[in-house]
Amino acid sequence: MSNFDKREEGFEKKFAHDEELRFKAHARRNKLVGLWAAEKLGLTGAAAEAYAKDVVTADMDKPDSDGVFGKLRRDFDEKGVAQSDHQIRRTIEEATVKAVAEIQAGQ
């Protein structure tokens, strides 16, 4: 194997590793956001966990923060929970930072 092939293989492994970490952080972020929203909606225990799973699923339907944001916005509006668009997006951003930190710390 030439040096070029070794470097290429190394870059491919790093890319795959980085993508796996990104996926895990994204899923963790969605769960954190789902649990936050569940609390705002008055859900606890198993109902809160189920809601968080629904938020993760919403992201699979629209794989970006708009899928999660859209679900939260609709659910908050439906239940009369007062949260601004800014607050929802800020919470998503904060959860992203927390999820990445947790993944990097090996949690």
Side-chain angles (χ1 to χ4, degrees):
M1 183 178 275
S2 72
N3 282 339
F4 179 77
D5 290 336
K6 287 179 185 177
R7 283 185 65 199
E8 182 179 16
E9 183 178 321
F11 283 125
E12 288 173 0
K13 285 182 181 179
K14 182 180 180 341
F15 177 79
H17 180 262
D18 290 349
E19 285 300 305
E20 180 181 354
L21 291 178
R22 190 178 341 255
F23 176 80
K24 287 179 180 180
H26 199 77
R28 186 172 297 207
R29 175 206 72 180
N30 291 342
K31 184 174 181 183
L32 291 170
V33 169
L35 291 172
W36 168 81
E39 181 182 331
K40 298 291 182 191
L41 292 165
L43 303 173
T44 59
E49 288 291 329
Y51 184 80
K53 286 181 184 177
D54 287 346
V55 171
V56 172
T57 302
D59 189 51
M60 290 179 192
D61 295 338
K62 285 180 106 176
D64 56 22
S65 60
D66 286 341
V68 171
F69 172 81
K71 175 168 181 43
L72 298 181
R73 178 79 278 151
R74 284 187 305 276
D75 292 349
F76 285 161
D77 289 346
E78 185 178 295
K79 298 290 184 176
V81 175
Q83 289 293 312
S84 69
D85 290 355
H86 173 75
Q87 178 61 45
I88 295 169
R89 291 191 191 280
R90 192 178 91 204
T91 300
I92 291 170
E93 289 172 17
E94 290 170 354
T96 300
V97 171
K98 182 176 182 181
V100 168
E102 288 177 356
I103 295 291
Q104 288 175 340
Q107 296 178 350

